[in-house]
């Protein structure tokens, strides 16, 4: 490549929902030369990697899809309320084919580093294939939950059976039939996987560190009349989810729960419980996010449900969350999760009452001084969320400053989309944007469209760099923290708070409100309308 002449206009890292749409926008809307690098062998991102039994989206399928292909919204038929992982992959493959995306995506290629060349105002990107490429713009579409967290369990190398993280199962899956299986972790992934594995395995032992509040998913076929009505009103659906708080067709109950009678709130709780999905979490009484007493009323309802469902009272008590308010950790959706602990072949080992995992042995796991033997161990231990995938890119900005160092104490961004000192770099659904606290495609589409508009403005005005100012970044960080500190979220050791990983500095990772994704969208649009306020353009 000749110095100063980039090999591409833009490089996108990742070919999941966000990278695919970013490519479409850059290439087909703006007419740019764009290249996508993807570590997987095909499109899908998180849906390519997470192929554990029971893997399914927790958003309703009619809103977990691209809204920019209006014809496809009408044509595509989802088989159930929540799309299963293979079905989402089929959908994304179909989109890739329909829009001829794959010709600009290089698969099986991981980006290993990128630095900003200040003399030419270009990003220079390196891959594990030994290639380098340059571009004016670099767009990280790496997903929020793509950097696997495999805790350093002592002795893992000695284990003689099979072991696997839930996001790294082989493409043919694992046959659990007649096997003694351990699942470590009880987050949203494990809550989906455990009932499925329990049906196949001879014995299943679940190692729980923190019990979660699970609410019913209520998956199933969607009534054809409802599918038809939604298709007829997709413009209305899109408008509502874009303006909503969390990217769903949900509104909070306007009244504080503390002002309700016991009968009234029980009726409302029953209604949300019966509706299933995130309604109980995201369309509940809003004061439960701010007030412990209000939160206790919601939490108590779920605790009663757990006690009613789980037959052994000792097991039920182990499954009841104790140390964190309801809704402050990612809501797992339950399809026979609690019922699974009534099965004879399922055992719960709780770190608090039975003792924590001490080591992995040749034959299994030792926890609380007791030895358990397994053929297979599945680690459902989550991810280095949000900052992990970006730090793993080994990015170097101005003056050779490494993102790892700049973020040593947690993320610093402007709007969750840009980082001071890293010109022309954009992070789709990056930390300090609504991202994981929203229905992801809504936030992905908003970022992609904002970034595409910004790049279009840059070429029209002849600018070569855009970069967040340190001041705007600092103010955004304070705003993110001020809001979350007014809620109960900081009281949980959640991955939202960076608390799932030993040594990760405690910081709230997404952006919560005050008017949700709708308000955040308006804020981003205002910034653009004000000539990209808070950015330096050169
Ligand atoms: P999560 O929600 O981070 O859950 C991971 C689970 O693994 C959780 O129960 C953890 O306990 C447990 N864990 C993590 N590290 C350890 C160690 N060292 N020892 C024992 N147990 C451990 O990840 P998921 O994959 O379930 O979900 C991630 C997101 O993917 C999900 O929210 C959806 O958005 C999709 P902890 O609660 O930290 O005590």
């Amino acid at each position: 490549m000749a110095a100063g002449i980039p090999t591409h206009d833009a490089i996108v890292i990742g070919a999941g929902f966000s990278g695919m749409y970013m490519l479409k926008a850059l290439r087909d809307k703006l007419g740019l030369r764009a290249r996508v690098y993807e570590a997987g062998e095909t499109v899908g991102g998180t849906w390519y990697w997470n192929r554990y039994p029971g893997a399914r989206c927790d958003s309703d399928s009619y809103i977990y899809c691209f809204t920019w292909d209006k014809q496809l919204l009408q044509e595509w038929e989802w088989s159930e309320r929540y799309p299963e992982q293979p079905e989402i992959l089929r959908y994304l493959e179909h989109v890739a084919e329909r829009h001829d995306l794959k010709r600009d995506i290089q698969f099986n290629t991981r980006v290993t580093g990128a630095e900003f060349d200040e003399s030419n105002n270009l990003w220079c990107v390196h891959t594990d294939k030994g290639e380098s490429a340059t571009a004016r713009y670099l767009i990280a579409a790496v997903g929020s939950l793509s950097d696997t967290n495999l805790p350093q369990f002592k002795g893992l190398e000695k284990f003689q059976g099979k072991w696997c993280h839930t996001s790294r199962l082989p493409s043919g899956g694992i046959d659990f039939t007649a096997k003694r299986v351990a699942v470590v972790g009880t987050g949203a992934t494990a809550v989906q996987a455990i009932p499925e594995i329990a049906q196949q395995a001879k014995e299943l032992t679940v190692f729980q560190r923190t019990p979660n509040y699970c609410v019913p998913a209520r998956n199933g076929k969607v009534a054809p009349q409802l599918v038809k009505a939604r298709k007829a009103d997709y413009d209305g659906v899109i408008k509502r989810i874009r303006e909503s708080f969390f990217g769903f067709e949900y509104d909070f109950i306007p009244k504080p729960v503390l002002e309700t009678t016991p009968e009234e709130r029980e009726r409302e709780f029953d209604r949300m419980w019966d509706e299933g999905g995130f309604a109980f979490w995201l369309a509940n009484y809003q004061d439960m996010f701010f007030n412990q007493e209000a939160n206790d009323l919601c939490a108590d309802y779920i605790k009663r449900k757990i006690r009613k469902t789980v037959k052994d009272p000792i097991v039920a008590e182990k499954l009841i969350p104790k140390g964190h308010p309801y809704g402050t950790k990612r809501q797992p959706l339950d399809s026979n999760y609690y019922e699974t602990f009534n099965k004879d072949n399922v055992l719960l080992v709780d770190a608090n009452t039975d003792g924590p995992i001490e080591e992995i042995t040749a034959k299994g796991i030792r926890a609380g001084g007791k030895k358990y033997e397994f053929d297979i161990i599945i680690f459902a231990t989550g991810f280095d969320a949000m900052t992990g995938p970006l730090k793993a890119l080994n990015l170097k900005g101005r003056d050779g400053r490494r993102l790892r160092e700049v973020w040593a104490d947690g993320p610093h961004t402007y709007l969750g989309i840009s980082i001071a000192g890293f010109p022309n770099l954009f992070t789709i659904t990056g930390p300090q944007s609504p991202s994981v606290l929203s229905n992801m495609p809504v936030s992905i589409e908003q970022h992609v469209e904002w970034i595409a508009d910004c790049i279009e403005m840059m070429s029209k005005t002849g600018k070569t760099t855009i970069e967040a100012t340190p001041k705007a970044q600092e103010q955004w960080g304070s705003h993110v923290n001020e809001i979350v500190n007014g809620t109960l979220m900081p009281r949980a050791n959640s991955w939202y708070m960076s608390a799932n990983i030993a040594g990760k500095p405690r910081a709230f990772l997404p952006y919560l409100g005050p008017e949700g994704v709708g308000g955040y969208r308006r804020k981003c649009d205002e910034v653009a309308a004000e000539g990209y306020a808070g950015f330096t353009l050169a």
Side-chain angles (χ1 to χ4, degrees):
M1 63 197 140
I5 303 175
T7 53
H8 305 92
D9 296 315
I11 290 176
V12 179
I13 312 173
F17 266 90
S18 48
M20 290 171 70
Y21 185 31
M22 195 73 242
L23 171 61
K24 173 77 186 163
L26 292 168
R27 192 189 68 186
D28 296 350
K29 181 165 177 255
L30 303 185
L32 298 181
R33 292 170 307 143
R35 185 80 178 149
V36 181
Y37 291 112
E38 165 58 54
E41 63 188 348
T42 187
V43 293
T46 199
W47 296 107
Y48 168 80
W49 295 104
N50 283 275
R51 46 177 94 105
Y52 57 85
R56 190 182 285 285
C57 183
D58 287 336
S59 294
D60 287 58
S61 43
Y62 79 104
I63 48 168
Y64 197 82
C65 51
F66 289 122
T67 65
W68 48 269
D69 187 333
K70 299 270 190 268
Q71 200 187 339
L72 187 57
L73 285 176
Q74 296 302 323
E75 286 171 12
W76 190 266
E77 300 287 342
W78 294 102
S79 66
E80 288 181 303
R81 175 173 178 182
Y82 304 100
E84 214 185 350
Q85 178 261 347
E87 192 171 12
I88 302 175
L89 264 194
R90 271 200 304 283
Y91 168 79
L92 292 175
E93 285 286 351
H94 178 72
V95 172
E97 194 176 318
R98 188 179 165 94
H99 294 278
D100 194 15
L101 297 179
K102 286 193 179 178
R103 71 180 148 96
D104 292 305
I105 307 174
Q106 185 171 325
F107 294 105
N108 299 306
T109 306
R110 186 172 286 281
V111 168
T112 51
E115 68 273 347
F116 187 68
D117 164 6
E118 292 187 63
S119 47
N120 293 302
N121 289 327
L122 297 177
W123 277 96
C124 186
V125 176
H126 313 284
T127 76
D128 62 354
K129 297 285 178 291
E131 295 160 299
S132 294
T134 52
R136 178 75 67 217
Y137 301 101
L138 179 62
I139 299 149
V142 289
S144 307
L145 297 157
S146 50
D147 194 19
T148 294
N149 171 41
L150 185 68
Q152 300 289 306
F153 289 110
K154 188 180 150 206
L156 180 58
E157 70 290 349
K158 290 188 210 141
F159 183 57
Q160 288 166 357
K162 256 192 211 162
W163 66 265
C164 196
H165 187 276
T166 44
S167 71
R168 289 294 179 271
L169 258 70
S171 52
I174 294 180
D175 185 5
F176 295 101
T177 315
K179 297 283 193 283
R180 298 164 303 167
V181 182
V183 170
V184 179
T186 52
T189 297
V191 169
Q192 289 186 337
I194 284 166
E196 298 292 321
I197 296 175
Q199 283 190 44
Q200 291 177 35
K202 184 167 112 195
E203 293 164 14
L204 170 65
T205 306
V206 176
F207 289 85
Q208 170 182 272
R209 185 165 75 175
T210 312
N212 257 313
Y213 295 95
C214 306
V215 303
R218 305 215 188 280
N219 188 33
K221 297 268 174 238
V222 180
Q225 312 87 286
L226 183 54
V227 173
K228 206 167 151 203
R230 282 169 172 165
K231 286 194 187 240
D233 181 33
Y234 247 124
D235 287 343
V237 168
I238 294 166
K239 187 169 184 298
R240 288 192 290 280
I241 60 179
R242 287 184 175 185
E243 288 172 4
S244 70
F245 204 102
F246 292 111
F248 296 86
E249 290 199 270
Y250 289 142
D251 283 317
F252 292 114
I253 299 170
K255 193 175 177 182
V257 70
L258 292 176
E259 290 175 17
T260 58
T261 63
E263 297 74 27
E264 183 185 354
R265 60 177 171 263
E266 195 73 3
R267 244 188 346 264
E268 289 292 347
F269 289 152
D270 283 345
R271 179 185 57 74
M272 292 181 283
W273 190 264
D274 292 344
E275 184 179 334
F278 287 149
F280 200 92
W281 187 33
L282 305 179
N284 209 313
Y285 295 95
Q286 196 171 2
D287 52 341
M288 71 100 175
F289 280 107
F290 300 96
N291 181 306
Q292 187 64 59
E293 211 186 321
N295 191 283
D296 288 343
L297 294 171
C298 302
D300 174 65
Y301 180 88
I302 303 181
K303 290 177 185 178
R304 283 187 275 132
K305 291 285 186 189
I306 300 172
R307 290 193 177 103
K308 217 165 138 185
T309 311
V310 180
K311 290 193 184 127
D312 181 336
I314 296 172
V315 177
E317 282 318 302
K318 289 180 186 178
L319 287 165
I320 287 180
K322 289 163 193 83
H324 64 277
Y326 170 61
T328 53
K329 296 188 88 168
R330 166 58 153 75
Q331 173 70 72
L333 294 191
D334 161 11
S335 297
N336 289 322
Y337 176 68
Y338 289 121
E339 286 84 349
T340 297
F341 292 94
N342 294 334
K343 289 173 84 105
D344 291 338
N345 66 333
V346 177
L347 176 71
L348 178 65
V349 178
D350 172 43
N352 295 306
T353 52
D354 302 309
I357 295 176
E358 289 148 356
E359 67 171 326
I360 313 285
T361 64
K363 295 233 155 94
I365 294 180
R366 186 162 60 85
K370 200 167 162 198
K371 286 183 178 164
Y372 303 84
E373 294 193 357
F374 303 111
D375 304 307
I376 304 170
I377 303 176
I378 298 296
F379 293 101
T381 44
F383 302 90
D384 184 350
M386 302 196 81
T387 49
L390 291 166
K391 284 182 176 180
L393 294 175
N394 293 315
L395 300 178
K396 281 194 226 162
R398 281 200 194 282
D399 305 320
R401 292 192 68 198
R402 291 171 187 276
L403 186 65
R404 269 183 191 287
E405 284 153 21
V406 176
W407 281 7
D409 61 345
H412 301 281
T413 78
Y414 180 38
L415 302 170
I417 209 166
S418 173
I419 304 161
F422 293 77
N424 297 355
L425 167 74
F426 299 102
T427 53
I428 302 177
T429 64
Q432 302 185 329
S433 76
S435 181
V436 291
L437 276 177
S438 70
N439 176 34
M440 285 302 268
V442 176
S443 291
I444 286 169
E445 290 190 351
Q446 185 241 331
H447 269 185
V448 168
E449 286 160 16
W450 192 94
I451 293 165
D453 288 349
C454 175
I455 292 177
E456 190 175 31
M457 171 281 298
M458 297 284 290
S459 54
K460 279 192 181 152
T461 55
K463 306 280 190 216
T464 49
T465 59
I466 178 162
E467 184 177 356
T469 66
K471 188 173 167 214
Q473 176 165 286
E474 198 186 313
Q475 285 173 346
W476 185 252
S478 306
H479 171 64
V480 169
N481 291 326
E482 190 186 325
I483 290 178
V484 76
N485 288 337
T487 73
L488 300 176
M489 298 298 270
R491 299 198 190 175
N493 287 327
S494 62
W495 57 258
Y496 295 140
M497 291 302 306
S498 315
N500 61 323
I501 292 178
K504 187 167 176 177
R506 197 173 179 95
F508 184 64
L509 296 174
Y511 171 58
L512 180 60
E515 292 161 52
V517 302
Y520 172 78
R521 174 185 298 266
R522 287 191 291 279
K523 168 74 186 165
C524 292
D525 290 348
E526 267 166 40
V527 165
E530 288 163 9
Y532 292 84
F535 288 93
T536 304
L537 287 93

